[in-house]
Amino acid sequence: MMSPSAVKIDAHQHFWRVVDQDQPWRTSHHDAIARDFTPDDLLPQAQQVGVSRTVLVESVDEPAENDRLAAFAKDPLVAGVVAWAPLSEPGRALAELARVRIDKLSGVRCLIGRDPMTWLQKPAVLDLMAELAARGLAWDVVPVSSEQTAAVLQLAQALPDLRIVIDHLGRPPVEVGGWQPWADHLQQLSECPGVAVKLSVGLDVLSAWSPWAPRELEPYLSWVCETFGPERVMLASNWPVVTLRSTYTQAWSDTESVVRGHYRGADLERALAGTATQWYGLDRSEPEGRGPG
C-alpha cells in the first residue's frame, strides 16, 4: 500500500496578479479572489497536503496570459503549463504556439463557457487538433451542454491520439443535488479512451454552491472514479478559485479522501500523480529547493 507521503501532483491551479490583467469571468461575487495569488502563496499550503508539483492553467484568453504563465512556470513548483490558444482560429493558434516560450508547455485550452462549439467540426480545426496530438499536447475543456458534449465526443472519436482533459468534473449539478444530464454526458465521454477527468470544482459550481459540503460532492467524485478508472482521473484543486468556498488544504484533503476510498496501491499512485504525469508529459523528478519540507 502506498504511504501518505507518496508523490502528489495538483493537476489544475492558477497564478495571477490582478494589476496585470482583466478577468472577465470574475464578478462582484468573487471579491475573495480579487487579489494576487503567486507560487509563494501556494507552496506552504501544498506542502501541508504533500503536493510537490502542479499543473499551471491559463485563466485569461489573451497572448499576454501566456507571457505571464511563462514567467510563473520558472518556479520549481510548476511541472507543466496549460497555455491559452485561440483554437477556433487555427492560424492564430499555431502562430501563438510558435510565439510563446514555455519550456514546460503541456497542453492548451480556451474558455468556452456555454458557447456553441460547431467550430470543432471545421477541417482546419481538426488539423490543428491533430497537430496538438502530434506535439504531445493535451486539450483542456469543460463541456457543460449536450451540444458541447456531442462536439467533444465527435472530436475524440475522430482523433483518438489526442489527449482530452475534462476540467472540474464536467460541471456536475452539485448545488441542486441533480444527476442528469451530467451523468449521461460523462458516461458518453468515458467511452472514449482519449478522455480523462480532473477531480476538481469549477467557478460555476463554486459560485452557485454554498457552503463547501464534501458529502454533497462525494457522489460525483465517486461516480467519476468508478466510471473512468485511476488511469483517467487526476486530483486537482482549482486553486485559488476553490477558496471561494474552501481552503486549499480542506478541498484537497476531502477529494483525496474519496479517491483513497476507491483506489489502492498502484491505482492510487496513478490518481495522485501518475495520470497527470502521463497525460501532460510531466517530469516526475522532485523540484529542487521547493519540495515539501
Side-chain angles (χ1 to χ4, degrees):
M1 180 176 294
M2 194 178 80
S3 71
S5 61
V7 176
K8 301 176 188 177
I9 294 174
D10 182 344
H12 194 110
Q13 55 85 199
H14 309 283
F15 295 132
W16 60 66
R17 294 184 176 88
V18 293
V19 71
D20 290 341
Q21 75 276 300
D22 291 326
Q23 294 172 319
W25 49 264
R26 182 164 49 78
T27 73
S28 59
H29 299 291
H30 306 132
D31 289 344
I33 56 174
R35 64 177 183 83
D36 295 352
F37 291 91
T38 70
D40 288 338
D41 297 314
L42 177 57
L43 179 65
Q45 300 176 76
Q47 289 177 334
Q48 288 184 47
V49 294
V51 168
S52 58
R53 309 303 299 273
T54 72
V55 176
L56 174 62
V57 181
E58 66 94 25
S59 63
V60 180
D61 286 0
E62 62 180 14
E65 173 73 346
N66 286 337
D67 299 328
R68 294 186 288 266
L69 293 173
F72 281 127
K74 295 176 182 178
D75 193 280
L77 182 63
V78 177
V81 175
V82 176
W84 170 76
L87 299 174
S88 63
E89 303 175 68
R92 284 187 61 210
L94 289 171
E96 180 61 18
L97 290 174
R99 183 194 71 83
V100 68
R101 293 289 181 268
I102 301 176
D103 292 337
K104 299 173 182 178
L105 185 63
S106 300
V108 298
R109 79 167 189 173
C110 58
L111 302 177
I112 62 169
R114 296 182 178 274
D115 296 338
M117 299 179 69
T118 53
W119 50 269
L120 273 182
Q121 301 169 13
K122 296 179 179 179
V125 174
L126 287 174
D127 290 343
L128 169 63
M129 293 298 194
E131 177 64 20
L132 295 180
R135 296 186 187 190
L137 297 176
W139 174 41
D140 274 43
V141 64
V142 189
V144 298
S145 68
S146 297
E147 291 76 16
Q148 288 180 339
T149 300
V152 174
L153 276 169
Q154 185 174 351
L155 179 68
Q157 293 163 355
L159 298 175
D161 291 336
L162 176 65
R163 294 194 292 272
I164 300 174
V165 181
I166 306 301
D167 293 344
H168 313 321
L169 297 165
R171 207 293 182 213
V174 179
E175 76 279 11
V176 295
W179 197 251
Q180 297 294 359
W182 171 81
D184 280 349
H185 291 167
L186 271 291
Q187 180 65 55
Q188 292 164 13
L189 290 166
S190 75
E191 295 170 3
C192 298
V195 177
V197 179
K198 288 181 183 177
L199 304 178
S200 55
V201 184
L203 177 71
D204 198 34
V205 170
L206 292 166
S207 299
W209 182 39
S210 180
W212 180 263
R215 289 187 179 180
E216 293 177 9
L217 183 61
E218 182 176 355
Y220 304 95
L221 293 169
S222 293
W223 191 82
V224 170
C225 286
E226 294 165 1
T227 304
F228 282 81
E231 68 282 353
R232 291 197 290 151
V233 299
M234 55 189 89
L235 266 73
S237 69
N238 195 23
W239 183 91
V241 182
V242 73
T243 62
L244 290 169
R245 294 291 178 265
S246 174
T247 64
Y248 180 93
T249 54
Q250 182 68 58
W252 182 275
S253 297
D254 288 341
T255 304
E256 182 178 334
S257 177
V258 174
V259 171
R260 286 182 177 273
H262 286 272
Y263 307 137
R264 296 287 188 275
D267 285 345
L268 183 57
E269 290 181 352
R270 290 187 187 96
L272 292 179
T275 301
T277 298
Q278 178 182 355
W279 284 71
Y280 286 121
L282 307 180
D283 179 0
R284 284 292 295 273
S285 63
E286 287 294 309
E288 296 179 5
R290 292 296 296 263

